[in-house]
Amino acid sequence: MNQPTEPKADKSGVRRHNLSLVLRTVHEAGETTRAAVAARVGLTRPAVSSLVEQLLDLGFLVESGKTFSGQAGRPGTVLKPADTGPAGLGVEINVDYVTVRVVDLTGTDRVRRTEHLDNREPEAGDVLARAARVAAEALDAAAERHLVPAGAGLALPGLVCDGTVRQAPNLGWNEVPAEALFGKALTALRPGTAGLPVASDNEANMAALAELWSGSLGDLRTFLYLTGEIGVGGAIVVHGELLRGAHGFAGEIGHLVVDAEGPLCRCGSRGCLEQYAGQAALLAAADAGGVPDLARRAEAAEPRALAALAEAGRMLGRALSAAVNLLDPEAVVLGGIYPRLMPWLTPALAEELADRVVSGLWTPDAERLRPASAATDAARGAAALVLHDILADPLAHTPAPSA
Amino acid sequence: MNQPTEPKADKSGVRRHNLSLVLRTVHEAGETTRAAVAARVGLTRPAVSSLVEQLLDLGFLVESGKTFSGQAGRPGTVLKPADTGPAGLGVEINVDYVTVRVVDLTGTDRVRRTEHLDNREPEAGDVLARAARVAAEALDAAAERHLVPAGAGLALPGLVCDGTVRQAPNLGWNEVPAEALFGKALTALRPGTAGLPVASDNEANMAALAELWSGSLGDLRTFLYLTGEIGVGGAIVVHGELLRGAHGFAGEIGHLVVDAEGPLCRCGSRGCLEQYAGQAALLAAADAGGVPDLARRAEAAEPRALAALAEAGRMLGRALSAAVNLLDPEAVVLGGIYPRLMPWLTPALAEELADRVVSGLWTPDAERLRPASAATDAARGAAALVLHDILADPLAHTPAPSA
């Protein structure tokens, strides 16, 4: 996959491929030289220089004044990905907030906006219009930094397929054409974004990609990712790839049944995990006003808070024992509200895993439970997905001069 | 993957690859000609003829007297995979039986032996020696048909990794080096099998491969496979590949918890699926003497039999709803004792899936529940795995003249 393609039949196709190869190589290195790129990708120096010139002209790369003596050849001018120009716009719409991020080609988060609001009451179209407004404001801030969106990623809390939210029980959405509605609303606010590609996916999938690409997991390539929100989202990563299933609906850990006769869930089933370990259920059980309040009460060893967290941990452990028995992951990564609450969730959670996982690999001290890193979330993953698209084919993402 | 490799540096490596390519092409076609093979694989006629001569000499292919006018060129002599010579030996050791199959290069089952015996009481070494005895007898029958084993596949009801059964709760095995013990026992009985490669895996994985390769699933490439035995085994196939997880332990559907406070399971947990839908649990609940007896009682509408089957179906549905929510498969294939019992298991099972699967795709009439085909089982899969190895590198499986 990382091999250069030598010119054969389709010369422009080959050049496109090699432009991507050079851009990805510079992106991964952070700072490098033409000679080091040539050595790395196996193309000639003149070929690399020509590709680099085009990437400089199009604004994907910049030269710094510095020279750099790498492992290959004479000192050369340092190349870096541009921190202006094409950028990824990531938008997460969740039940009680919208988060927008703009990430530049170096991978740095340049703009971040979060608005807390209840997305359950308004119509789907109005929620998407709200998200578009937050995105438009973020794009204004990005424009001041000379960043132009090359695409938008849309992270949504539900079953997403072909640009449409098939079902999002916690939002009450069914068959909502989210990509189209969001794109239309954004274009109405900022006509320059007309034609901007929008790609949507489940929010847990996006957050898992953010975690995978952040480097914080080291060599970990097979893991489960849980996001604690109003709902509980889940994603499955196997050997570095999202497992999506036959229709893109895999990973619905929040709807694993932990008590068959338990309370009704908005999905129509009973006793789903999110009825115990979702944010709303957990705060209600603890009689807490929010996650920071819950953490304070737990730190003060308030019995009701501790009991609610232990019960949520136990139910997380019960659902995760099923997921671990089925999928045999190396680790479980807990995101959303969970990292802050792990001190009180983990004991009961780890005990359930130790009791119920057949392989015996999930002993309580196995350290296979890990918090998601603070820098990653679904909006970050959605923006990173756009970056991946740019890196895979920069020519397809040349910013329009008017945008 | 199916492209021919043109001679470059390692000539013998290229020839090995092309021998495999030609043998696989003939195997898939069943009957074909040199010209058709050449057209299919994109090698020259003389190159294909040379490869075919070698495969004929080594006994992997035979010519029939017939000529065959295919889509390419003049009528040619018909080539077929040999139905003598290298064969796959498949051995399934389960809790209450051992099944051995010998499958020839055409894919035909040539010898089949099943011995019903209780494998829970004896030591692991004795159970493997018993299985070796059944295998040795099957090899005698195979030798009369001029078939020589090129390898053995060993299907085992537990967590299998690196030739060792890490844990098989229903056999009471822990850390049993099954491949080595089986190979030694077989060699003691039939010295000609010394050095025979043995490959082991979980029995549900082997049975799922048998089903996948049998062609009976049509285009279905993403499915769950359940085997009802004393235990309940499970396998996950995603886009035509077994999902094995980080350590090879994925697919343990039998130990999904369906009632957290339910009866103790031999795995150490409580309320595992197999405590309700495993063969022993089901027969005890129905007060039946065996699966045929249970089916007879159900056909006679005996209330206790119907209630036991409905309860097993409900628990299967509960566990499968978790697996379907996590994995989003196209279908669930039920093997082992289940196909015979599906008329009584399916109603409650399908109802649970309809109630609990979030995507709403698993309506009771969705026909996503299917019986495994009668011709496939874990022993068949184990033998087929050997065939795949032969087809992938025939030169590595040239039968020793003395074997």
Side-chain angles (χ1 to χ4, degrees):
Chain A
M1 225 178 105
N2 259 7
Q3 296 305 304
T5 306
E6 292 302 335
K8 272 183 206 151
D10 177 3
K11 260 198 130 165
S12 75
V14 171
R15 190 167 176 92
R16 270 180 111 116
H17 172 91
N18 288 342
L19 283 167
S20 164
L21 188 62
V22 168
L23 181 57
R24 279 181 284 147
T25 303
V26 179
H27 175 80
E28 276 159 33
E31 293 198 338
T32 187
T33 62
R34 288 168 177 77
V37 171
R40 180 72 197 272
V41 305
L43 289 170
T44 63
R45 275 290 300 270
V48 167
S49 289
S50 158
L51 294 161
V52 164
E53 289 320 306
Q54 190 173 356
L55 290 167
L56 288 166
D57 283 349
L58 292 169
F60 293 102
L61 294 181
V62 291
E63 285 181 314
S64 89
K66 292 190 290 180
T67 57
F68 183 76
S69 180
Q71 57 276 54
R74 297 163 301 166
T77 313
V78 166
L79 293 172
K80 303 189 296 186
D83 63 359
T84 57
L89 170 67
V91 179
E92 177 187 5
I93 299 175
N94 218 309
V95 181
D96 56 347
Y97 63 86
V98 168
T99 294
V100 174
R101 293 188 188 238
V102 180
V103 176
D104 70 21
L105 273 180
T106 72
T108 306
D109 224 7
R110 299 293 296 283
V111 179
R112 184 182 168 179
R113 302 268 149 132
T114 292
E115 239 182 74
H116 293 275
L117 28 75
D118 192 325
N119 288 325
R120 281 169 288 200
E121 286 308 311
E123 292 293 307
D126 294 336
V127 171
L128 287 156
R130 274 183 182 181
R133 181 182 46 71
V134 183
E137 290 164 13
L139 289 181
D140 291 343
E144 289 168 18
R145 295 163 178 77
H146 308 289
L147 290 165
V148 183
L154 201 52
L156 296 152
L159 304 176
V160 182
C161 177
D162 296 333
T164 296
V165 178
R166 296 283 169 222
Q167 201 189 348
N170 286 307
L171 288 172
W173 291 11
N174 282 294
E175 303 296 333
V176 173
E179 284 180 14
L181 290 173
F182 175 82
K184 201 174 148 196
L186 186 63
T187 305
L189 294 165
R190 298 293 181 278
T193 63
L196 189 73
V198 181
S200 58
D201 200 349
N202 173 274
E203 48 95 25
N205 280 351
M206 293 283 203
L209 286 180
E211 194 72 25
L212 179 70
W213 292 336
S214 73
S216 67
L217 295 176
D219 291 337
L220 206 60
R221 311 290 285 168
T222 297
F223 62 93
L224 302 177
Y225 188 96
L226 254 71
T227 48
E229 312 289 347
I230 301 283
V232 176
I236 302 166
V237 177
V238 177
H239 305 317
E241 301 277 344
L242 275 178
L243 188 149
R244 295 180 178 278
H247 316 91
F249 300 158
E252 287 294 325
I253 295 176
H255 298 283
L256 295 203
V257 175
V258 291
D259 178 0
E261 310 300 327
L264 261 177
C265 181
R266 292 181 67 101
C267 77
S269 181
R270 282 190 172 278
C272 294
L273 173 63
E274 68 182 44
Q275 295 304 315
Y276 303 86
Q279 179 182 307
L282 183 52
L283 295 181
D287 194 22
V291 174
D293 180 43
L294 176 57
R296 269 193 305 275
R297 286 165 190 255
E299 268 155 14
E302 197 183 284
R304 189 162 170 186
L306 294 179
L309 285 161
E311 174 75 351
R314 206 154 59 85
M315 294 308 195
L316 279 167
R318 209 180 270 179
L320 281 170
S321 74
V324 170
N325 277 327
L326 275 177
L327 294 161
D328 183 25
E330 291 171 78
V332 172
V333 180
L334 298 171
I337 66 168
Y338 295 138
R340 180 76 188 85
L341 303 172
M342 278 183 73
W344 306 284
L345 292 170
T346 301
L349 201 176
E351 197 185 327
E352 283 284 317
L353 286 172
D355 285 351
R356 297 192 188 276
V357 172
V358 129
S359 68
L361 293 172
W362 288 70
T363 54
D365 56 347
E367 297 187 7
R368 293 172 188 273
L369 291 171
R370 13 194 325 164
S373 57
T376 64
D377 61 15
R380 168 83 198 180
L385 205 61
V386 177
L387 282 196
H388 265 241
D389 285 347
I390 302 174
L391 295 174
D393 188 3
L395 282 195
H397 294 87
T398 313
S402 67
Chain B
M1 226 179 104
N2 258 8
Q3 295 306 305
T5 307
E6 291 302 333
K8 271 183 205 150
D10 178 1
K11 261 198 127 166
S12 74
V14 171
R15 191 168 175 89
R16 269 180 112 117
H17 173 90
N18 288 344
L19 283 168
S20 164
L21 188 60
V22 168
L23 180 57
R24 279 181 285 147
T25 304
V26 179
H27 174 80
E28 276 159 32
E31 293 198 340
T32 187
T33 63
R34 288 168 178 80
V37 170
R40 179 72 196 271
V41 304
L43 289 170
T44 62
R45 274 290 300 270
V48 166
S49 289
S50 157
L51 294 160
V52 164
E53 289 318 305
Q54 190 173 357
L55 291 167
L56 288 167
D57 283 350
L58 292 170
F60 293 101
L61 294 181
V62 291
E63 284 181 312
S64 88
K66 292 190 288 180
T67 57
F68 183 74
S69 180
Q71 57 275 57
R74 297 162 301 166
T77 312
V78 167
L79 294 171
K80 302 189 296 186
D83 62 359
T84 57
L89 171 67
V91 179
E92 177 187 4
I93 299 176
N94 218 308
V95 181
D96 56 346
Y97 63 86
V98 168
T99 294
V100 175
R101 293 188 189 238
V102 180
V103 176
D104 69 24
L105 275 179
T106 71
T108 306
D109 225 8
R110 300 291 297 282
V111 179
R112 185 180 169 182
R113 302 267 150 134
T114 293
E115 238 181 75
H116 293 276
L117 28 75
D118 192 326
N119 287 325
R120 282 170 287 201
E121 287 307 311
E123 291 293 308
D126 293 338
V127 171
L128 288 156
R130 272 184 185 181
R133 180 180 48 71
V134 182
E137 290 165 11
L139 289 182
D140 292 343
E144 288 169 19
R145 294 163 179 76
H146 307 288
L147 291 165
V148 183
L154 200 52
L156 297 152
L159 305 176
V160 181
C161 177
D162 296 333
T164 295
V165 177
R166 295 284 169 221
Q167 203 190 348
N170 286 308
L171 288 172
W173 291 12
N174 282 295
E175 303 297 333
V176 172
E179 284 180 13
L181 290 173
F182 175 82
K184 201 174 148 196
L186 186 62
T187 305
L189 293 166
R190 297 294 180 278
T193 63
L196 189 74
V198 181
S200 58
D201 201 347
N202 173 274
E203 47 96 25
N205 281 351
M206 293 284 204
L209 287 180
E211 195 72 25
L212 180 69
W213 292 336
S214 72
S216 68
L217 295 176
D219 290 338
L220 205 60
R221 311 291 286 168
T222 297
F223 62 93
L224 302 177
Y225 188 97
L226 255 73
T227 49
E229 313 287 348
I230 300 285
V232 176
I236 302 165
V237 177
V238 177
H239 303 318
E241 301 276 345
L242 274 177
L243 189 148
R244 295 179 178 277
H247 317 90
F249 300 158
E252 287 295 324
I253 296 176
H255 297 283
L256 295 204
V257 176
V258 291
D259 179 0
E261 311 300 326
L264 261 177
C265 181
R266 292 181 67 102
C267 77
S269 181
R270 282 191 172 278
C272 294
L273 173 63
E274 68 181 43
Q275 296 303 315
Y276 302 87
Q279 179 183 307
L282 183 53
L283 294 180
D287 194 23
V291 174
D293 180 43
L294 175 57
R296 266 193 307 275
R297 286 166 191 255
E299 268 155 14
E302 197 183 286
R304 187 161 172 185
L306 295 179
L309 285 162
E311 174 75 352
R314 206 154 59 85
M315 294 309 194
L316 279 166
R318 207 180 271 179
L320 282 171
S321 75
V324 169
N325 277 326
L326 275 175
L327 294 162
D328 183 24
E330 292 171 77
V332 172
V333 180
L334 298 171
I337 66 168
Y338 295 137
R340 179 76 188 85
L341 301 172
M342 279 182 73
W344 306 285
L345 294 169
T346 301
L349 201 176
E351 197 185 327
E352 283 284 316
L353 286 172
D355 286 352
R356 298 193 187 274
V357 172
V358 132
S359 68
L361 293 173
W362 288 71
T363 53
D365 56 348
E367 298 187 5
R368 291 171 189 274
L369 292 171
R370 16 196 321 167
S373 57
T376 65
D377 60 17
R380 168 83 197 182
L385 206 61
V386 177
L387 282 196
H388 266 240
D389 285 348
I390 301 174
L391 295 174
D393 188 2
L395 282 194
H397 294 86
T398 312
S402 67

